[in-house]
Amino acid sequence: MLLTLDLAGTFAFALNGALTAVRVAHLDIVGVVTLAIITALGGGIIRDILLGALPPATFVDWRFLAVAATGGLIAFLFSRRLGRFTTSIDVLDAAGLSLFAVTGASKAHELGLGPVQAVILGTVTAVGGGTVRDVLVREVPTVLSSGLYAIPAMGGAALAVAATGTGVDQVLGAPAALGAAGTCFVIRVLGMHFGLDAPKPPGAGRAGPASSGDRG
Amino acid sequence: MLLTLDLAGTFAFALNGALTAVRVAHLDIVGVVTLAIITALGGGIIRDILLGALPPATFVDWRFLAVAATGGLIAFLFSRRLGRFTTSIDVLDAAGLSLFAVTGASKAHELGLGPVQAVILGTVTAVGGGTVRDVLVREVPTVLSSGLYAIPAMGGAALAVAATGTGVDQVLGAPAALGAAGTCFVIRVLGMHFGLDAPKPPGAGRAGPASSGDRG
Amino acid sequence: MLLTLDLAGTFAFALNGALTAVRVAHLDIVGVVTLAIITALGGGIIRDILLGALPPATFVDWRFLAVAATGGLIAFLFSRRLGRFTTSIDVLDAAGLSLFAVTGASKAHELGLGPVQAVILGTVTAVGGGTVRDVLVREVPTVLSSGLYAIPAMGGAALAVAATGTGVDQVLGAPAALGAAGTCFVIRVLGMHFGLDAPKPPGAGRAGPASSGDRG
């Protein structure tokens, strides 16, 4: 079950990474598929490095690479059509974020880490791929510039760990994990829709994050 | 003893990372605290990955995360007052650099690495967090653009390893480690104060490092 | 034999990293040598982290660090003369790319990874150091912006793995490895010379990669 959610998150991030490559950086097919794979697998690889679970699952299990490459190719071919829905790139990012927060936290918890550490690793898994993507195309990472990005990921990871801890996941299984991911997803999408931001430093009258003028 | 110095370095880098987030990138509270944590813990995490000591100490010992988050929050709340001292952001960076050079080198030496490797790992620990910070806010890293940054860190790390090797640290303990860190700190601060730079390539008549116009 | 090729690739990437530091970022001697070392050792360190072979070979075997630092110093001293040949910086990058693709894939294969995984790890070794270099000097990484960069690396890595798998390397040894590296090198250099690019997304009428105006 976790594997299915993990592959779904990989696919969402691959589409998102490929669309970012097309729109923000105007890359060719190799660059598009490469950025799709890095965005899709980056979070999981960082998680596995921090857990010491090496080589990372990506190299042991070829399905992740296949799903990431397929997602990148699909987004490359249909980038024009997908690009029409201007919010799709953000919604795909929110989907990957939610799914990886839950699977990352669950995997860390299964490998014996404490609940707090599992929540942190889930959050790192969720925001890792997107952060590497933003660094490679020279954007300020979303995790820094967007108020409601790390917080819903931490919430989803915490719900997933709580479900494992209380045994709810033994009874409910998939619904518990999907509920945790769904909560994260809804908060993230609502935050984007209403432009919710976390508070700025006291007395800061400046315009916005450093990246505001760049996405253009 | 090493733990105390390590936590002090974590606190200094957390304050520095948070002030960088406020001044250079104009981030909100989540971005400020996130950048504070990444700056504070980045060097130690890179060190532990290279040593194969996984999961990193950060995840085993919650105190590092607590100190880093607290430092980030304090700097967020008092960013205006702290910002008045225009040099404080650089002095905090120098303090973290010095403390991590000593603790990083000592930890590597304790885990059985040779003296040269321990000096390198100490330097990597010292400059790692700041380098990740600079990449995330799109600056050319200080370790590349500033002449006297890696060199004092290598000096402090070498003194710490020499103290361990000669048994001085058995007798002197804290004073030996503090002396090594203090030497690094003084060289770094003097270098900044007098604008000392390492030599440029022969015949290079250009203005300065690529980042010169960006810090504004 | 592999060690010789690995050291040759390290030297080529060190020269390339140092020239990049001089030309693109106008760094001083410490920055030049630091970027040379990071470019030269980055790919191998990423490979060893992903393989779980920690601490990385760089720290166990001092020769890599010595070769990287020497290459950086040489390029620093002769940067003016080397800079006259405007293509040398790209040819050195192609040489490092080819050598590391072969040695990275062979090392991964020797450590028991499957052929597909070995090809991927060889490619990651080949493009890793240059990607870190580009991120640090704030360029869009070559692996994303240049069509024929990852593809020749994958080709060279695949030839190296095929030679190992079929036992050709037992008989031919050095010639097989050099042939694989040479094939990658020739494709990469021809691709640069004729300005070959992989296809862009359907309907994309934009000028070029985001980095086009930056190298100056």
Side-chain angles (χ1 to χ4, degrees):
Chain A
M1 218 285 297
L2 269 183
L3 180 70
T4 314
L5 294 184
D6 228 3
L7 289 173
T10 302
F11 190 69
F13 265 134
L15 291 175
N16 165 277
L19 290 178
T20 305
V22 171
R23 273 206 236 158
V24 177
H26 314 309
L27 304 177
D28 63 22
I29 184 170
V30 181
V32 168
V33 174
T34 306
L35 195 63
I37 293 175
I38 292 174
T39 308
L41 304 183
I45 290 177
I46 293 173
R47 175 199 61 204
D48 288 348
I49 289 174
L50 293 178
L51 282 170
L54 299 172
T58 311
F59 291 107
V60 182
D61 188 337
W62 59 271
R63 284 171 292 189
F64 287 97
L65 198 67
V67 164
T70 308
L73 277 173
I74 291 175
F76 177 81
L77 292 172
F78 301 103
S79 62
R80 254 181 130 181
R81 201 163 304 173
L82 286 166
R84 243 180 258 161
F85 313 98
T86 46
T87 53
S88 61
I89 200 169
D90 291 327
V91 171
L92 287 166
D93 186 73
L97 181 84
S98 312
L99 292 162
F100 276 5
V102 169
T103 60
S106 302
K107 178 164 182 184
H109 204 54
E110 274 172 18
L111 286 179
L113 263 71
V116 174
Q117 284 87 343
V119 170
I120 296 168
L121 260 186
T123 310
V124 168
T125 310
V127 307
T131 302
V132 175
R133 173 201 67 206
D134 290 341
V135 165
L136 292 181
V137 301
R138 299 190 299 180
E139 298 279 328
V140 169
T142 317
V143 68
L144 291 182
S145 62
S146 176
L148 283 177
Y149 192 74
I151 286 179
M154 289 182 76
L159 284 176
V161 169
T164 327
T166 55
V168 170
D169 69 325
Q170 300 283 345
V171 187
L172 292 175
L178 281 173
T183 308
C184 168
F185 182 78
V186 167
I187 297 176
R188 170 71 187 143
V189 169
L190 286 180
M192 285 192 292
H193 186 72
F194 293 107
L196 296 182
D197 255 338
K200 294 256 170 182
R206 330 259 192 138
S211 72
S212 63
D214 291 10
R215 284 257 180 188
Chain B
M1 217 285 298
L2 270 183
L3 180 70
T4 313
L5 294 184
D6 228 2
L7 289 172
T10 303
F11 190 69
F13 265 134
L15 291 174
N16 165 277
L19 289 178
T20 305
V22 171
R23 272 205 238 161
V24 177
H26 313 309
L27 304 176
D28 63 22
I29 185 169
V30 181
V32 168
V33 174
T34 306
L35 194 63
I37 293 175
I38 292 173
T39 307
L41 305 183
I45 289 176
I46 293 173
R47 177 198 60 203
D48 288 348
I49 290 174
L50 292 178
L51 283 170
L54 300 171
T58 311
F59 291 108
V60 182
D61 188 337
W62 58 272
R63 283 171 293 189
F64 287 96
L65 199 67
V67 164
T70 307
L73 277 174
I74 290 175
F76 177 82
L77 293 172
F78 300 103
S79 63
R80 254 180 129 181
R81 200 163 304 172
L82 286 165
R84 242 180 258 162
F85 312 99
T86 47
T87 53
S88 59
I89 199 169
D90 291 327
V91 171
L92 286 166
D93 186 74
L97 181 84
S98 313
L99 292 163
F100 276 5
V102 169
T103 59
S106 303
K107 178 164 180 183
H109 204 54
E110 273 172 18
L111 286 179
L113 263 71
V116 174
Q117 285 85 344
V119 170
I120 295 167
L121 261 186
T123 310
V124 168
T125 310
V127 307
T131 301
V132 175
R133 172 201 66 206
D134 290 342
V135 166
L136 292 180
V137 301
R138 299 190 299 181
E139 298 279 329
V140 170
T142 316
V143 68
L144 292 182
S145 63
S146 175
L148 285 177
Y149 192 73
I151 286 180
M154 288 182 77
L159 284 175
V161 170
T164 328
T166 56
V168 170
D169 69 325
Q170 301 284 347
V171 187
L172 291 176
L178 282 173
T183 308
C184 169
F185 182 78
V186 167
I187 297 175
R188 170 70 186 143
V189 169
L190 285 179
M192 287 192 292
H193 186 71
F194 292 107
L196 298 181
D197 255 336
K200 294 256 171 182
R206 329 261 191 137
S211 72
S212 63
D214 291 10
R215 285 256 179 189
Chain C
M1 218 284 298
L2 269 183
L3 180 69
T4 313
L5 293 184
D6 227 4
L7 288 173
T10 303
F11 190 69
F13 266 135
L15 291 174
N16 166 277
L19 290 178
T20 306
V22 171
R23 273 205 237 160
V24 177
H26 314 309
L27 304 177
D28 63 23
I29 185 169
V30 181
V32 168
V33 174
T34 305
L35 194 63
I37 293 175
I38 292 173
T39 307
L41 304 183
I45 289 177
I46 294 173
R47 177 199 61 204
D48 289 347
I49 290 174
L50 292 178
L51 283 170
L54 299 173
T58 311
F59 290 108
V60 181
D61 188 337
W62 60 272
R63 283 171 294 188
F64 287 96
L65 198 67
V67 165
T70 308
L73 277 173
I74 290 175
F76 177 81
L77 293 172
F78 301 104
S79 62
R80 255 181 129 180
R81 200 164 304 174
L82 287 166
R84 245 180 256 162
F85 312 99
T86 47
T87 53
S88 61
I89 199 169
D90 291 326
V91 171
L92 287 166
D93 187 73
L97 182 83
S98 312
L99 292 163
F100 277 5
V102 170
T103 59
S106 303
K107 178 165 182 185
H109 204 54
E110 274 172 18
L111 286 179
L113 263 71
V116 175
Q117 285 86 344
V119 170
I120 296 167
L121 261 186
T123 309
V124 168
T125 310
V127 308
T131 302
V132 175
R133 171 201 68 205
D134 290 342
V135 165
L136 292 181
V137 301
R138 299 189 299 181
E139 298 279 327
V140 170
T142 316
V143 68
L144 292 181
S145 64
S146 175
L148 284 178
Y149 192 74
I151 285 180
M154 288 183 77
L159 284 176
V161 169
T164 328
T166 56
V168 171
D169 70 325
Q170 301 283 346
V171 187
L172 291 176
L178 281 173
T183 309
C184 168
F185 182 78
V186 167
I187 298 175
R188 171 70 187 141
V189 169
L190 285 179
M192 286 192 293
H193 186 72
F194 293 107
L196 297 181
D197 255 337
K200 295 254 170 185
R206 330 260 190 136
S211 71
S212 62
D214 291 10
R215 284 255 180 189

